[in-house]
Amino acid sequence: MYYELTDAIVVKTDLQATWAFFGRAENLPDITPPWMNFEVLADGPINIGQGTHIDYRIRWAGIPLRWRTRIIDWSPPRQFIDLQLSGPYDLWHHQHTFEQVEDGTLCRDRVLYRVPFGPLGRIANALMVRRQLIEIFEYRRTKIAERMGLVRAVQAKVEIRKV
């Protein structure tokens, strides 16, 4: 079973400043909940672009996990997509889009994901994964709003649905 997570907000910063923030892997720990112990595994700044691999370490339910993504689309300043190569999901495809609007920049997230382990994964999603992803993306929304200034939420809340 596949799921789609979406979120959309408008921030005060212009398109270029918004792109500059999201285009830096070093900013990811700042917009990730502390309980995840999110860490980018790199010796220095990462120059993100088409094909870039980024390695992370997270904690889920107290268990340390490694996560590797690849940037499969890099279209400044409008969009980038990261795809999980290895990590906790069978599929994690995260599309970030940015659009200049009259009062700032519209930021959209669309994640297609699939939890491993078939029927057990569907149960885990219903009991825990879905709730945690909503918490993670709501935290992310709050931190982005603090950093860039929230103009308005386009979606009332982070949403997840079956696809």
Side-chain angles (χ1 to χ4, degrees), residues 11 13-25 27 48-50 71 73-81 96-100 105-107 148:
V11 295
T13 54
D14 68 21
L15 182 61
Q16 294 300 327
T18 303
W19 179 264
F21 175 81
F22 282 95
R24 296 193 50 195
N27 289 326
I48 299 179
Q50 185 77 28
I71 303 300
D73 181 33
W74 184 255
S75 303
R78 303 284 181 203
Q79 170 177 277
F80 70 96
I81 299 172
H96 312 254
T97 60
F98 310 96
E99 178 184 341
Q100 187 73 55
T105 301
L106 171 59
C107 304
M148 295 185 221

Side-chain angles (χ1 to χ4, degrees), residues 59-79:
R59 282 198 180 274
W60 184 77
I63 301 166
L65 299 171
R66 291 184 69 109
W67 191 328
R68 177 173 241 210
T69 61
R70 179 174 42 154
I71 303 300
I72 62 169
D73 181 33
W74 184 255
S75 303
R78 303 284 181 203
Q79 170 177 277

